């Protein structure tokens, strides 16, 4: 289960490690799948951190001008299996009820 770090130092260390891991995954995805990525992070004190696989301004312009339907996720789309605490995305498709949850662990 994911829980907020309690102490200020724990929060800082966790943020730094997770931020680096997220940026590394973004880099790997951009290289392995030949895609453009823009990652924007504001920490709890509103300090900005960003990663872009190419020019950030060009990627953001492309984003603002994009008018096609697309996948969009928020924290509420992440669900936790009650049996094993694994995290999965909730989903909607033709064969399920809107907003249903499917745990890939088989529970």
């Amino acid at each position: 289960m994911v829980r907020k770090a309690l102490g200020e130092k724990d929060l800082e260390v966790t943020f730094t490690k997770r931020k680096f891991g997220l940026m590394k995954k973004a880099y790997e995805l951009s290289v392995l799948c030949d895609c453009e990525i823009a990652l924007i992070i504001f920490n709890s004190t509103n300090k900005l951190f960003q990663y872009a696989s190419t020019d950030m301004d060009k990627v953001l312009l492309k984003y603002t001008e994009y008018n096609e339907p697309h996948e969009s996720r928020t924290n509420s789309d992440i669900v936790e299996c009650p049996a094993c605490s694994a995290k999965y995305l909730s989903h909607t498709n033709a064969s399920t009820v809107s907003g249903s949850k499917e745990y890939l662990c088989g529970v």
Side-chain angles (χ1 to χ4, degrees):
M1 177 178 291
V2 175
R3 293 190 184 125
K4 183 178 176 180
L6 297 177
E8 188 175 324
K9 187 67 176 172
D10 291 337
L11 182 66
E12 205 174 292
V13 169
T14 300
F15 177 80
T16 300
K17 288 181 178 181
R18 295 286 182 125
K19 175 181 54 102
F20 175 76
L22 184 59
M23 289 182 176
K24 182 178 176 188
K25 290 290 185 185
Y27 163 77
E28 292 170 353
L29 182 62
S30 73
V31 171
L32 293 172
C33 300
D34 192 28
C35 60
E36 290 180 286
I37 296 178
L39 175 63
I40 300 169
I41 303 168
F42 286 96
N43 71 2
S44 60
T45 62
N46 273 337
K47 185 175 178 183
L48 170 66
F49 302 88
Q50 70 181 47
Y51 166 83
S53 57
T54 58
D55 182 77
M56 176 66 83
D57 292 332
K58 289 180 182 177
V59 177
L60 291 177
L61 180 63
K62 185 186 248 186
Y63 171 77
T64 58
E65 293 177 345
Y66 194 81
N67 294 320
E68 300 296 319
H70 60 279
E71 182 176 334
S72 179
R73 300 285 183 175
T74 66
N75 282 2
S76 62
D77 296 316
I78 307 297
V79 295
E80 184 174 302
C81 175
C84 69
S85 298
K87 307 292 187 283
Y88 300 103
L89 291 174
S90 60
H91 66 281
T92 303
N93 63 34
S95 65
T96 63
V97 176
S98 178
S100 68
K101 300 172 184 174
E102 180 176 300
Y103 304 109
L104 301 178
C105 58
V107 174

